[in-house]
């Protein structure tokens, strides 16, 4: 936002959280991580928790940037104005069946079910915050 419109100020309205094969690699093959990715994985392991907890930590980090509090009631009060809570964070599902790299033998037997587990965590977070987080099913 700052790069394209440096004078734009204020909170983010919508955040789309993209996940990809690196997230799968971190969950299933942490020994393949190198450099900064390895450090991030080590920090996450030290904090403990699951992929869902990491998604909720992401929401906590986004909360001040979006000028909202996740889990709020239907409306929030800010600067003498009331606005309805709305889906602000989007978790799109990962189209594992459509990705050629995930259809290769024997990776298909591991990657597609694990991507399904990751998407289940995204669904669970969206159900926990139905007014502010939405999950979009991946295309078939």
């Amino acid at each position: 936002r700052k790069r394209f419109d440096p004078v734009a100020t204020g909170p983010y309205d919508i955040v789309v959280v993209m996940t990809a094969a690196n997230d799968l690699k971190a969950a299933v093959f942490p020994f393949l991580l190198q450099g900064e990715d390895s450090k991030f994985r080590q920090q996450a392991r030290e904090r403990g928790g699951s992929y869902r907890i990491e998604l909720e930590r992401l929401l906590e980090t986004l909360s001040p940037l979006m000028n909202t509090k996740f889990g709020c009631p239907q409306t929030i009060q800010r600067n003498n104005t009331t606005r309805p809570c709305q889906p602000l964070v989007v978790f799109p599902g990962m189209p594992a069946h459509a990705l050629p790299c995930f259809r290769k033998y024997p990776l298909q037997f591991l990657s597609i079910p694990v991507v399904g587990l990751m998407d289940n965590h995204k669904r669970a977070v969206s159900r926990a915050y139905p007014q502010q987080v939405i999950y979009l099913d991946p295309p078939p």
Side-chain angles (χ1 to χ4, degrees), residues 28-47:
V28 180
F29 304 112
F31 56 88
L32 293 177
L33 297 176
Q34 297 177 354
E36 192 174 87
D37 290 336
S38 178
K39 290 177 188 172
F40 287 141
R41 177 66 180 154
Q42 178 67 27
Q43 291 170 355
R45 192 176 10 202
E46 289 170 0
R47 286 190 303 262

Side-chain angles (χ1 to χ4, degrees), residues 36-121:
E36 192 174 87
D37 290 336
S38 178
K39 290 177 188 172
F40 287 141
R41 177 66 180 154
Q42 178 67 27
Q43 291 170 355
R45 192 176 10 202
E46 289 170 0
R47 286 190 303 262
S50 65
Y51 185 65
R52 177 182 172 162
I53 291 172
E54 289 299 313
L55 292 174
E56 289 185 353
R57 284 189 181 119
L58 175 67
L59 294 180
E60 289 174 16
T61 302
L62 290 172
S63 187
L65 298 172
M66 299 181 80
N67 201 17
T68 191
K69 178 167 175 40
F70 289 93
C72 71
Q74 290 291 83
T75 59
I76 58 174
Q77 191 78 23
R78 187 68 97 198
N79 299 333
N80 295 328
T81 61
T82 302
R83 67 177 174 88
C85 293
Q86 55 187 336
L88 298 171
V89 177
V90 180
F91 288 131
M94 190 167 155
H97 292 286
L99 299 173
C101 64
F102 285 170
R103 290 185 290 182
K104 293 183 179 179
Y105 180 84
L107 190 58
Q108 66 189 7
F109 298 112
L110 177 65
S111 60
I112 293 174
V114 172
V115 167
L117 291 172
M118 292 170 66
D119 284 348
N120 285 339
H121 285 289

